[in-house]
Amino acid sequence: KYNISVHHEALAVRGDLSAPTCTTCHGNHGAAPPGVSAVHNVCSTCHVFQAQLFDTSPHKPAFAAAGLPGCVTCHSNHQIHHPSDSMVGTGPQAVCTSCHSQGDAGFAVAGKIQQQFAALRNAIGKSEAILTRAEQSGMEVSQAQLDLTSARDQLTKARVTLHSFTLAKIEADVKVGQETAEKTRQAGEKTLRERDYRRAGLGISLLTIVAML
């Protein structure tokens, strides 16, 4: 299971020597890290921010009451797949539906979080398309492309904030990303209008020269 996990892929394919192996989680001679009684404590040694957010989330007491381990409930342990947005929401691959069903508050929130992620991905995609067209036309859009990177960073941040399971916090991260993506999209459209203006000017100049000749 570990051999097909995201941790093994990071180590064996991407050469990330900081990726966890068996001894990272279990120790060596002691067979288990001293003082560790839950997998959640092992995960939090690397995934610090996610663990801090989960510890203050409404899921922490709910999981404890149900006897569910924290991280493992959604991500499993050895066979950890690369997380994706499809894990969130109410779709067929969503882990939220393992506990939440149609009609309860958690099910509704999961759907809204899924919509937030989709909205930001869509905004970033639109901006990328406009900037790519402008760049392929020979226009200078390097600053806008650099700014768009911060929108992608906000999407990553929102995916981390997900572990708070608080819709308002996720919406705040997504809003910043959407504003940045919209700004860069508008910059791309402005650049395309400038391109068209230049082309029109060049066309008129050429026609004038031809007429004079």
Side-chain angles (χ1 to χ4, degrees):
K1 289 183 176 180
Y2 174 81
N3 285 340
I4 58 175
S5 73
V6 66
H7 287 157
H8 180 266
E9 186 264 343
L11 177 68
V13 178
R14 290 188 275 118
D16 184 358
L17 298 181
S18 67
T21 59
C22 303
T23 55
T24 307
C25 301
H26 294 281
N28 42 25
H29 302 100
V36 173
S37 58
V39 177
H40 167 78
N41 295 333
V42 180
C43 301
S44 63
T45 59
C46 294
H47 303 285
V48 179
F49 295 124
Q50 289 89 337
Q52 289 175 345
L53 289 168
F54 178 81
D55 285 341
T56 58
S57 75
H59 274 182
K60 179 68 179 290
F63 277 27
L68 297 173
C71 310
V72 175
T73 302
C74 299
H75 295 282
S76 78
N77 49 10
H78 299 105
Q79 190 176 337
I80 302 173
H81 295 296
H82 198 289
S84 66
D85 291 346
S86 62
M87 294 175 62
V88 184
T90 58
Q93 298 180 19
V95 297
C96 308
T97 54
S98 299
C99 297
H100 298 289
S101 57
Q102 183 78 42
D104 70 41
F107 188 89
V109 170
K112 290 178 180 178
I113 292 174
Q114 182 184 41
Q115 292 171 4
Q116 287 290 309
F117 286 168
L120 182 49
R121 290 198 311 271
N122 185 51
I124 292 172
K126 286 182 177 180
S127 182
E128 286 176 339
I130 291 290
L131 294 176
T132 298
R133 282 175 55 198
E135 183 181 38
Q136 290 175 346
S137 299
M139 303 300 289
E140 171 57 44
V141 290
S142 59
Q143 184 58 53
Q145 289 175 327
L146 181 62
D147 292 340
L148 185 59
T149 300
S150 65
R152 299 189 190 98
D153 290 342
Q154 281 299 129
L155 178 57
T156 301
K157 183 180 179 183
R159 288 165 174 161
V160 175
T161 305
L162 166 69
H163 295 85
S164 70
F165 301 101
T166 305
L167 181 60
K169 293 181 179 180
I170 297 169
E171 287 176 335
D173 288 341
V174 169
K175 181 180 179 181
V176 174
Q178 285 180 314
E179 289 174 349
T180 302
E182 177 62 18
K183 177 182 176 182
T184 56
R185 185 189 66 80
Q186 290 177 0
E189 289 184 343
K190 180 180 178 181
T191 304
L192 288 176
R193 288 195 297 270
E194 181 181 348
R195 177 205 64 181
D196 294 341
Y197 178 78
R198 291 181 182 181
R199 287 179 175 178
L202 178 61
I204 293 172
S205 299
L206 290 174
L207 288 174
T208 302
I209 292 171
V210 170
M212 290 180 66
L213 290 174

